[in-house]
Amino acid sequence: MAAAAAGAGSGPWAAQEKQFPPALLSFFIYNPRFGPREGQEENKILFYHPNEVEKNEKIRNVGLCEAIVQFTRTFSPSKPAKSLHTQKNRQFFNEPEENFWMVMVVRNPIIEKQSKDGKPVIEYQEEELLDKVYSSVLRQCYSMYKLFNGTFLKAMEDGGVKLLKERLEKFFHRYLQTLHLQSCDLLDIFGGISFFPLDKMTYLKIQSFINRMEESLNIVKYTAFLYNDQLIWSGLEQDDMRILYKYLTTSLFPRHIEPELAGRDSPIRAEMPGNLQHYGRSEKEPQFKFIYFNHMNLAEKSTVHMRKTPSVSLTSVHPDLMKILGDINSDFTRVDEDEEIIVKAMSDYWVVGKKSDRRELYVILNQKNANLIEVNEEVKKLCATQFNNIFFLD
């Protein structure tokens, strides 16, 4: 469990307060049809992490989740529970295939303080986690499994429950180690793709090269062409490219690139914790930073994130501001119409969210004495220069 001292040098109590980020408590997959009778409950469990948990506790936890899902079905048969909030943790549920349930239990962030008599006092931060972020992470878990193994049903057809359990164990034993839940944020909801901008002639040359290669090599079915971690061209279906891009940029590429970068002039060092507020040289902070996402082509652009991999997420803004971005996104999800939300956050910051024509833009402005009209004008300028006025709402 990683801990960070809060507010160093800001008073006698600062060194005695520790913050612990969210952590994965358990992750399991079950099918209620596999153990319908009393005494067969263990047969429902297809995968359980951590494996060393006592058998009866596994059965009890799976049974509780099954009961919650069934109970919520009485109110909404087609949309059962997706999450359960408790003081100490959040549970997230996903049914990616009929009767196959995936459950992820995440411990809420903790602040540990020293009481007057010197004993530690634990405070669970119950409202810090965003359901949409971690529900997206859980769905990604299935998508990544499917990318390498096919569906759960395919494993059942190939070799029954025994083969499915083997595949789940082999995949998730390693994959769960790459989940760094303290680094998850709005980008996990989008699951977007960063495109590399190219002039028309260069793009056509690359497309011509790909066509010639696919014609001459029958073994090649689909091609994706990337420059570093940015996509230039893809022949894959959009959803397939989305999860492949996630794998390439957060698992495969960093394994080879990060050690090299960390040894040179990169701001990233292996010992750095996730979600840093500052990095590199202390240059003047830009007037605004933004995150943009296009639902139609999955294009994503962020000047808030310097680097995001499973092992490190470098964001240049305070975590409280990232949470406001997530809250605005949740508000956008509730309505289909175009919308704009402006929030005054902390002393110097304004946060603006715009949704228009299946595109979303989130802007963080550092303007101490600005008013609402001035903030609106600054965002209009940004839209005009960066996004061809697509976010103007009349």
Side-chain angles (χ1 to χ4, degrees):
M1 186 189 292
S10 58
W13 296 99
Q16 296 175 14
E17 183 176 292
K18 294 179 182 177
Q19 295 184 355
F20 296 91
L24 182 67
L25 292 180
S26 60
F27 181 100
F28 47 92
I29 301 169
Y30 71 93
N31 187 322
R33 297 287 175 91
F34 292 174
R37 294 186 178 88
E38 193 173 339
Q40 297 179 333
E41 291 86 357
E42 190 179 7
N43 296 341
K44 299 176 184 178
I45 305 171
L46 301 168
F47 174 81
Y48 200 104
H49 168 85
N51 189 43
E52 55 271 18
V53 171
E54 199 263 329
K55 182 180 82 170
N56 287 335
E57 186 181 343
K58 291 180 182 178
I59 292 172
R60 188 166 59 248
N61 290 338
V62 168
L64 176 62
C65 291
E66 196 179 345
I68 291 165
V69 168
Q70 290 299 341
F71 176 70
T72 57
R73 275 197 197 278
T74 60
F75 303 102
S76 179
S78 60
K79 292 183 179 179
K82 291 185 178 178
S83 68
L84 173 69
H85 297 201
T86 69
Q87 181 195 11
K88 295 183 179 180
N89 61 52
R90 293 265 180 104
Q91 298 184 29
F92 300 93
F93 314 104
N94 180 35
E95 186 186 20
E97 299 176 37
E98 190 176 5
N99 294 316
F100 287 97
W101 284 89
M102 303 175 71
V103 180
M104 181 172 71
V105 184
V106 180
R107 193 206 62 220
N108 286 326
I110 292 173
I111 294 179
E112 184 183 289
K113 297 178 179 178
Q114 295 290 333
S115 62
K116 291 180 181 178
D117 57 5
K119 293 180 180 178
V121 177
I122 301 291
E123 289 183 6
Y124 288 93
Q125 306 298 295
E126 297 177 52
E127 301 304 320
E128 288 302 303
L129 300 184
L130 291 169
D131 279 0
K132 277 192 73 178
V133 170
Y134 293 94
S135 292
S136 299
V137 171
L138 183 55
R139 287 195 299 271
Q140 284 169 14
C141 289
Y142 173 74
S143 298
M144 202 66 78
Y145 169 88
K146 187 179 169 186
L147 177 69
F148 290 100
N149 298 281
T151 63
F152 296 159
L153 203 57
K154 176 74 164 59
M156 293 286 293
E157 291 167 354
D158 292 347
V161 176
K162 183 175 182 290
L163 180 63
L164 175 57
K165 285 185 175 182
E166 288 172 2
R167 287 184 179 174
L168 292 173
E169 178 65 37
K170 184 178 179 182
F171 178 80
F172 283 109
H173 175 71
R174 287 183 293 179
Y175 182 72
L176 293 179
Q177 296 174 40
T178 71
L179 287 186
H180 293 263
L181 300 180
Q182 73 273 16
S183 300
C184 298
D185 58 31
L186 193 62
L187 295 192
D188 291 282
I189 297 175
F190 294 148
I193 294 171
S194 177
F195 287 91
F196 185 75
L198 270 182
D199 63 89
K200 192 173 183 180
M201 284 308 297
T202 308
Y203 180 81
L204 290 174
K205 285 178 183 177
I206 289 172
Q207 195 172 24
S208 174
F209 162 73
I210 291 169
N211 291 339
R212 290 202 306 272
M213 180 189 68
E214 290 183 345
E215 284 172 13
S216 59
L217 298 172
N218 291 333
I219 196 172
V220 178
K221 282 192 172 183
Y222 304 99
T223 307
F225 195 103
L226 295 92
Y227 176 76
N228 289 336
D229 59 355
Q230 291 183 293
L231 183 66
I232 293 175
W233 192 90
S234 170
L236 287 160
E237 290 288 331
Q238 195 175 65
D239 283 344
D240 293 334
M241 189 62 233
R242 167 186 252 165
I243 197 65
L244 178 62
Y245 180 82
K246 173 83 177 172
Y247 168 70
L248 293 174
T249 56
T250 62
S251 295
L252 185 65
F253 293 168
R255 239 179 269 158
H256 304 284
I257 295 170
E258 275 190 25
E260 180 185 346
L261 289 177
R264 300 211 308 250
D265 56 353
S266 166
I268 298 171
R269 295 290 181 268
E271 67 273 10
M272 280 190 173
N275 213 359
L276 301 182
Q277 295 177 33
H278 304 286
Y279 83 117
R281 299 180 301 277
S282 55
E283 296 170 348
K284 187 177 184 294
E285 186 180 6
Q287 196 168 7
F288 59 77
K289 295 168 185 177
F290 66 84
I291 296 174
Y292 165 79
F293 180 65
N294 183 333
H295 287 269
M296 290 176 282
N297 64 0
L298 306 183
E300 175 182 277
K301 185 174 182 181
S302 171
T303 60
V304 169
H305 297 80
M306 277 78 73
R307 191 166 176 80
K308 186 169 175 62
T309 72
S311 57
V312 62
S313 176
L314 291 175
T315 56
S316 56
V317 301
H318 194 278
D320 288 350
L321 292 172
M322 293 302 296
K323 186 171 184 300
I324 292 172
L325 297 184
D327 289 335
I328 292 175
N329 172 263
S330 295
D331 287 338
F332 284 166
T333 309
R334 295 188 187 103
V335 292
D336 294 327
E337 296 83 22
D338 294 349
E339 194 175 1
E340 179 179 283
I341 296 174
I342 301 178
V343 179
K344 180 75 166 73
M346 298 188 281
S347 54
D348 298 347
Y349 290 95
W350 290 83
V351 181
V352 180
K354 283 177 172 281
K355 176 186 171 188
S356 176
D357 193 24
R358 301 200 67 204
R359 299 174 175 91
E360 294 180 30
L361 175 67
Y362 302 83
V363 185
I364 297 172
L365 293 112
N366 181 20
Q367 291 198 327
K368 193 170 185 177
N369 298 313
N371 58 38
L372 198 62
I373 296 171
E374 291 165 339
V375 167
N376 202 37
E377 285 302 313
E378 285 297 323
V379 175
K380 275 189 178 181
K381 287 178 191 173
L382 171 65
C383 291
T385 56
Q386 298 275 342
F387 302 104
N388 298 322
N389 296 321
I390 58 173
F391 283 103
F392 280 173
L393 299 176
D394 296 324

